Amino acid sequence: SQQGEEDPQALSIQEGENATMNCSYKTSINNLQWYRQNSGRGLVHLILIRSNEREKHSGRLRVTLDTSKKSSSLLITASRAADTASYFCATEETSGSRLTFGEGTQLTVNP
Amino acid sequence: EAGVVQSPRYKIIEKKQPVAFWCNPISGHNTLYWYRQNLGQGPELLIRYENEEAVDDSQLPKDRFSAERLKGVDSTLKIQPAELGDSAVYLCASRRSTGRPNTIYFGEGSWLTVV
C-alpha cells in the first residue's frame, strides 16, 4: 500500500529554473525522506526531515514538512539537466520502521 | 565502503519457473529490506529483517514468495512459481538499526521479466 502521494506526477522545466515537488501522507510519522532514482538505477537517499522539524536544507535542496497538513515539499533550486530523475517521498511511521514510498514525480530538466 | 550488492541484475524467465535473487547488505547493517517496484510506481515493501528475524512480512505473498536471511547477513528472495504479474524490479536495501534515524541504502535492483 502506498502512503505518500506526490504531486505533480511529472514536471518538465528548463535548466536554471526551480523545481518543486509535493508529497502528502496519511498516518503519523517519525520522519519523512526524499529519494532520487535515475532511470534503471536504485534509489539514492537525498534528505531526511524529522517530524519535529519544519525545514531542512542540503546544497540546492530545501525540504519543508507540515505535520498538521501531513504534507512535505522538495525544492530543487537552479536545476541542472543532471537532476533529471524520479523523486520519491517516503515516510517512516511512528508504529515501526516500515518505510513507505509514494508514487514519485518524474522530473525532466531540459538543457 | 561497498554498497548493497544484488544479483542477478537482469533475469528473464518463463511463467511457472522459479527465480531467486540474492542480496549482500552493507557490512554492519542489521536491518535488511526487500522492496518490489513496478514500472512507473514507487517501491512497495515485501519484507523487513532485523538480523535474521523477519519482523515485517505482512505484504509478502506467501503462497509463492519466500525469503531467508539465515546468518543475519546475506538474504535470498525466491519466487516459485513466477507469474506474469511478477515482472518488476526487486530492490534490496539495508541500514544500521541503532542510533536512528539512519539512512537506508539501496542496491541497484534485480530486474525480472516473466514471459
Side-chain angles (χ1 to χ4, degrees):
Chain A
S1 60
Q2 300 291 333
Q3 154 86 306
E5 294 182 4
E6 278 97 335
D7 169 51
Q9 287 188 323
L11 180 61
S12 182
I13 60 174
Q14 296 299 121
E15 214 166 19
E17 294 180 341
N18 295 341
T20 299
M21 289 159 269
N22 302 297
C23 169
S24 61
Y25 58 92
K26 298 173 184 175
T27 63
S28 295
I29 61 171
N30 276 332
N31 61 74
L32 184 145
Q33 306 175 34
W34 284 91
Y35 287 80
R36 165 196 169 122
Q37 185 177 39
N38 287 69
S39 181
R41 307 298 298 273
L43 284 88
V44 175
H45 182 265
L46 295 177
I47 196 166
L48 179 151
I49 186 165
R50 302 180 192 217
S51 60
N52 61 353
E53 297 176 313
R54 291 297 167 258
E55 188 171 314
K56 204 162 184 180
H57 297 254
S58 177
R60 294 184 295 114
L61 305 180
R62 173 177 169 257
V63 170
T64 62
L65 178 64
D66 187 336
T67 53
S68 66
K69 295 181 179 179
K70 291 187 167 56
S71 67
S72 173
S73 68
L74 171 67
L75 169 67
I76 303 174
T77 60
S79 63
R80 307 166 182 167
D83 294 329
T84 295
S86 292
Y87 292 82
F88 295 91
C89 70
T91 52
E92 187 160 11
E93 300 170 15
T94 54
S95 58
S97 295
R98 176 180 292 195
L99 192 66
T100 306
F101 286 83
E103 297 288 343
T105 293
Q106 173 61 50
L107 173 66
T108 302
V109 182
N110 302 299
Chain B
E1 179 180 77
V4 177
V5 179
Q6 291 188 245
S7 69
R9 280 280 280 143
Y10 304 95
K11 189 77 174 177
I12 301 174
I13 62 171
E14 293 184 343
K15 62 182 180 181
K16 300 185 181 180
Q17 294 300 307
V19 64
F21 306 112
W22 174 81
C23 173
N24 183 251
I26 293 173
S27 178
H29 283 196
N30 310 82
T31 305
L32 184 145
Y33 306 81
W34 281 104
Y35 281 86
R36 176 170 61 187
Q37 185 178 24
N38 292 312
L39 190 64
Q41 298 183 15
E44 291 188 311
L45 180 69
L46 291 174
I47 190 167
R48 173 171 64 92
Y49 283 94
E50 294 289 344
N51 298 304
E52 65 274 9
E53 182 183 0
V55 296
D56 186 352
D57 64 355
S58 58
Q59 298 188 108
L60 186 73
K62 298 182 182 64
D63 56 337
R64 297 183 300 107
F65 286 66
S66 64
E68 60 183 15
R69 193 185 185 199
L70 294 175
K71 297 183 179 179
V73 181
D74 294 5
S75 178
T76 303
L77 177 70
K78 297 178 181 178
I79 308 174
Q80 181 171 13
E83 297 179 351
L84 295 177
D86 296 331
S87 294
V89 181
Y90 292 85
L91 295 163
C92 180
S94 71
R95 78 192 303 186
R96 293 187 189 282
S97 56
T98 56
R100 283 180 176 164
N102 289 322
T103 298
I104 296 177
Y105 295 88
F106 282 82
E108 294 290 335
S110 291
W111 294 66
L112 173 66
T113 301
V114 182
V115 298

